């Protein structure tokens, strides 16, 4: 007869014990979170509203802001709630959703690599850049 133990939650170590430090961490997390959300929404609004900025770099920048908002929205709200409640436990489901952080970071690195390649081609090979721009407009955007 085997004995099975089921894990229902994980205990987070290294969090502060004092109420003042918890409040400080909460304020730091929420200000960073709101600043990042506002900055990403501003980037998305400007690159979508202005018709001059419908080039490949801005196309990838619009997609990058969406993944960046997802990336920060996975971990920071949970950290804010845990810091204000002095709760050190995280559920198994919450731990599993952290896998989305890995996915969002991989997609974000992919977009940053594509944007760097696009910038390199625009500077080093300006004649070929017009062909690449046409390709992106025809197949990716429309």
């Amino acid at each position: 007869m085997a004995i099975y133990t089921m894990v229902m939650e994980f205990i987070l170590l290294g969090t502060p014990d004092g109420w003042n430090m918890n409040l400080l961490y909460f304020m730091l997390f929420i200000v960073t979170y709101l600043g990042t959300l506002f900055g990403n929404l501003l980037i998305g609004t400007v690159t979508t509203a202005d018709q001059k900025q419908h080039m490949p770099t801005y196309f990838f920048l619009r997609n990058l802001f969406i993944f960046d908002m997802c990336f920060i929205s996975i971990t920071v709200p949970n950290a804010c709630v845990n810091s204000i409640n002095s709760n050190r436990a995280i559920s198994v489901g919450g731990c599993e959703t952290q896998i989305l952080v890995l996915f969002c970071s991989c997609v974000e690195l992919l977009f940053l690599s594509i944007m760097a390649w696009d910038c390199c081609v625009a500077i080093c090979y300006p004649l070929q850049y017009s062909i690449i721009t046409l390709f992106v407009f025809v197949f990716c955007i429309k």
Side-chain angles (χ1 to χ4, degrees):
M1 181 170 174
I3 299 175
Y4 295 102
T5 304
M6 189 171 230
V7 176
M8 299 304 282
E9 62 185 14
F10 295 101
I11 304 297
L12 301 174
L13 299 177
T15 57
D17 288 329
W19 173 250
N20 291 336
M21 290 302 290
N22 283 343
L23 188 61
L24 177 70
Y25 279 133
F26 174 76
M27 295 302 290
L28 181 69
F29 286 152
I30 201 75
V31 166
T32 304
Y33 179 65
L34 292 176
T36 304
L37 281 183
F38 177 72
N40 281 321
L41 286 175
L42 186 66
I43 288 171
T45 304
V46 168
T47 57
T48 304
D50 192 6
Q51 293 297 324
K52 293 182 214 172
Q53 296 179 347
H54 285 219
M55 297 187 317
T57 301
Y58 295 107
F59 169 73
F60 290 117
L61 188 62
R62 278 192 302 275
N63 289 319
L64 183 66
F65 100 87
I66 293 169
F67 278 105
D68 196 25
M69 284 176 45
C70 293
F71 186 62
I72 197 161
S73 294
I74 293 171
T75 55
V76 175
N78 191 19
C80 288
V81 169
N82 285 344
S83 67
I84 203 71
N85 288 340
S86 298
N87 183 11
R88 293 183 176 198
I90 185 171
S91 67
V92 174
C95 191
E96 289 170 350
T97 58
Q98 297 295 322
I99 295 173
L100 290 174
V101 171
L102 181 64
F103 172 73
C104 287
S105 63
C106 289
V107 172
E108 192 167 344
L109 286 175
L110 177 71
F111 278 135
L112 288 172
S113 300
I114 291 171
M115 289 171 62
W117 179 77
D118 180 62
C119 191
C120 178
V121 170
I123 292 170
C124 298
Y125 307 104
L127 296 176
Q128 293 177 358
Y129 186 71
S130 61
I131 297 169
I132 293 171
T133 304
L134 179 67
F135 171 76
V136 170
F137 275 128
V138 170
F139 293 107
C140 294
I141 295 177
K142 298 197 180 198

